[in-house]
Amino acid sequence: MTIHRRSFLHLSALAGVSLLAAAGPALSQEVDVDAILNDPEAPTAGNPKGDVTIVAFLDYNCPYCRKTAPDLERIVKTDGKIRLVYKDWPILSESSVHGAQLALGAKYQGRYGAAHKALMSIKSRGTTAEEMQAAIKKAGIDMARLKADLTTHGTKISALLKRNLAQAEALGINGTPAYLIGPFRTTTLDYEGFKQVVADARAAQEGR
């Protein structure tokens, strides 16, 4: 698998400032980069003090998201200095929304990672809500707790999904997967592709 497309994001705010950003075509909305990188409700993984951040916009029904998920997990683990921010962006079907809600609900019992991996491991295309629930249950998620958390935190989860949608639109992203890696935006990658863009991101940051 190769890098399909990569563009430079004029996001000097990836160091922590909000600004009007350009990502490929001119944007019609203002991009709050701090909100993208540091939304307190967005699940994160990897090194919280990492020198490179990967922001991953994903849909649980996206076959390319599923295909690259193991390589994304691998680069975060092997590198050791990457902070990963998950942006659940369910745009492909109603069951995609259900999957995102399940994963984000599992976050409240500290099991977002397990739920995310279970959903990304489903092999069938056009996964149904029932298949997603079965995968979550098989991963050892407390289903009674999940149901309660979805009720208690449903408004927060819906608000987060709306913010993710608004951020993707502001950035001009038009499909999944989409990865912001340091100052770059790219699409489908394999392990070597992730490794190269992370190295390029570090080089770009050092040369700022």
Side-chain angles (χ1 to χ4, degrees), residues 102-186:
L102 290 173
L104 293 170
K107 183 188 72 169
Y108 293 96
Q109 54 180 284
R111 300 301 307 280
Y112 175 87
H116 174 84
K117 188 171 184 176
L119 292 170
M120 283 297 178
S121 298
I122 297 173
K123 302 300 182 184
S124 62
R125 282 178 165 268
T127 311
T128 65
E130 290 74 21
E131 287 174 311
M132 289 181 170
Q133 287 185 197
I136 290 284
K137 185 176 181 179
K138 188 175 180 180
I141 307 300
D142 182 332
M143 301 304 286
R145 168 74 186 274
L146 177 59
K147 183 178 179 181
D149 284 333
L150 286 171
T151 299
T152 302
H153 303 290
T155 300
K156 281 186 178 181
I157 291 171
S158 295
L160 174 60
L161 293 177
K162 288 179 182 178
R163 290 197 299 277
N164 291 349
L165 172 62
Q167 290 166 5
E169 290 179 344
L171 288 164
I173 298 172
N174 55 19
T176 57
Y179 304 105
L180 311 184
I181 304 177
F184 299 103
R185 184 177 82 198
T186 187

Side-chain angles (χ1 to χ4, degrees), residues 18-148:
S18 294
L19 79 169
L20 185 64
L27 302 180
S28 60
Q29 301 180 51
E30 191 171 289
V31 178
D32 185 342
V33 180
D34 184 66
I36 292 172
L37 294 177
N38 300 305
D39 190 318
E41 297 297 323
T44 60
N47 186 341
K49 296 183 179 179
D51 62 345
V52 169
T53 296
I54 297 178
V55 180
F57 287 84
L58 306 166
D59 184 303
Y60 291 115
N61 271 316
C62 166
Y64 299 107
C65 298
R66 293 174 180 172
K67 191 170 184 178
T68 59
D71 288 322
L72 176 60
E73 181 180 1
R74 181 184 169 196
I75 190 62
V76 171
K77 286 183 177 179
T78 58
D79 183 279
K81 296 186 290 183
I82 295 172
R83 176 176 175 262
L84 175 61
V85 180
Y86 290 105
K87 296 287 181 178
D88 288 274
W89 187 36
I91 57 173
L92 296 178
S93 69
E94 288 186 16
S95 68
S96 297
V97 176
H98 186 67
Q101 291 170 334
L102 290 173
L104 293 170
K107 183 188 72 169
Y108 293 96
Q109 54 180 284
R111 300 301 307 280
Y112 175 87
H116 174 84
K117 188 171 184 176
L119 292 170
M120 283 297 178
S121 298
I122 297 173
K123 302 300 182 184
S124 62
R125 282 178 165 268
T127 311
T128 65
E130 290 74 21
E131 287 174 311
M132 289 181 170
Q133 287 185 197
I136 290 284
K137 185 176 181 179
K138 188 175 180 180
I141 307 300
D142 182 332
M143 301 304 286
R145 168 74 186 274
L146 177 59
K147 183 178 179 181

